[in-house]
């Protein structure tokens, strides 16, 4: 594959990731019960699927999430508190969601739906560790406290599942459609089934 085609494909992939992340800035004040309706699961899985280079697969979605978190904290919540103990577990879950995408052998409705469920499950069990472990938590630092946190997180994870399915449909469907229309977006021979 020529360098020109490689750059076009990667530029489109990055643009899709940034566009999805930008939707995090939509104010849904009247829909507070949908607070966790976010593209992060779809972004992680998308990066894992379409980048052959491990560094790109993890770095591009991670830096996009980190940048959007910093912008949200500064512009919407009006503070950056510097406490990253809770965020660490969220970022670990995010990196594991990228790994889900890395293990997808091909893009199909079934694989994307299964990957979406896997991503949300990972987010649920990993990110809730922070809820129990952070200072001043409403949950006791015990296994029962962790189970209670998991139980109480179900509505939020439902929102993440719905958003991961919706964003994945748009992101994966859009890129697969674009690949069918524009041969320059297809992967290089020998580079793997789906990866750039």
């Amino acid at each position: 594959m020529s360098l020109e085609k490689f750059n076009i494909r990667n530029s489109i992939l990055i643009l899709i990731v940034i566009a999805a992340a930008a939707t995090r800035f939509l104010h849904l004040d009247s829909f507070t019960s949908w607070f966790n309706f976010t593209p992060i699961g779809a972004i992680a899985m998308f990066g894992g699927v379409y980048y052959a280079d491990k560094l790109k697969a993890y770095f591009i979605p991670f830096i996009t999430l980190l940048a959007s978190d910093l912008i949200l904290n500064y512009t919407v919540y009006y503070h950056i508190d510097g406490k990253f103990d809770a965020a660490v577990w969220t970022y670990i879950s995010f990196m594991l969601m990228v790994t889900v995408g890395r293990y997808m052998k091909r893009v199909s409705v079934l694989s994307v739906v299964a990957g979406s469920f896997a991503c949300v499950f990972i987010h649920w069990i990993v990110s809730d560790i922070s809820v129990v472990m952070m200072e001043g938590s409403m949950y006791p630092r015990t296994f029962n406290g962790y189970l209670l946190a998991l139980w109480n997180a179900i509505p939020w994870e439902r929102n993440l599942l719905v958003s991961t399915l919706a964003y994945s449909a748009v992101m994966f469907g859009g890129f697969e459609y674009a690949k069918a229309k524009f041969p320059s977006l297809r992967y290089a021979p020998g580079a793997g089934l789906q990866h750039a």
Side-chain angles (χ1 to χ4, degrees):
M1 178 165 63
S2 73
L3 182 60
E4 179 185 353
K5 289 181 180 179
F6 180 81
N7 288 338
I8 290 170
R9 179 183 165 96
N10 283 311
S11 297
I12 296 297
L13 291 173
I14 291 169
L15 184 64
I16 291 170
V17 168
I18 291 172
T23 65
R24 295 184 74 199
F25 301 104
L26 298 176
H27 250 311
L28 298 176
D29 290 335
S30 58
F31 298 99
T32 54
S33 63
W34 284 95
F35 179 76
N36 210 30
F37 190 90
T38 174
I40 65 166
I43 289 171
M45 193 166 52
F46 187 84
V49 167
Y50 289 110
Y51 286 107
D53 183 297
K54 279 187 179 182
L55 182 62
K56 288 179 187 172
Y58 287 93
F59 180 75
I60 292 171
F62 176 79
I63 202 68
T64 303
L65 176 65
L66 180 62
S68 62
D69 277 350
L70 291 173
I71 293 168
L72 277 171
N73 285 334
Y74 187 72
T75 62
V76 176
Y77 305 115
Y78 303 111
H79 75 284
I80 297 176
D81 60 14
K83 292 183 178 179
F84 294 106
D85 52 341
V88 165
W89 291 102
T90 300
Y91 288 116
I92 289 171
S93 72
F94 188 73
M95 295 295 98
L96 291 171
M97 288 187 265
V98 173
T99 303
V100 169
R102 302 283 306 156
Y103 280 97
M104 287 174 63
K105 299 298 181 197
R106 65 187 187 91
V107 175
S108 68
V109 172
L110 182 59
S111 67
V112 171
V113 168
S116 296
F117 274 90
C119 286
V120 172
F121 180 76
I122 288 167
H123 182 269
W124 184 47
I125 62 169
V126 175
S127 65
D128 274 359
I129 293 170
S130 67
V131 175
V132 175
M133 298 307 293
M134 70 182 175
E135 191 174 320
S137 173
M138 62 186 268
Y139 301 102
R141 291 185 180 187
T142 63
F143 184 67
N144 285 340
Y146 174 65
L147 292 178
L148 182 59
L150 290 176
W151 176 259
N152 288 335
I154 289 173
W156 306 110
E157 297 304 328
R158 177 208 63 198
N159 296 346
L160 183 60
L161 177 61
V162 172
S163 63
T164 301
L165 290 168
Y167 280 102
S168 291
V170 173
M171 293 172 72
F172 283 90
F175 190 68
E176 288 298 314
Y177 177 78
K179 276 178 28 181
K181 290 291 183 184
F182 304 101
S184 62
L185 297 179
R186 296 183 188 144
Y187 55 90
L193 188 61
Q194 295 296 334
H195 300 280

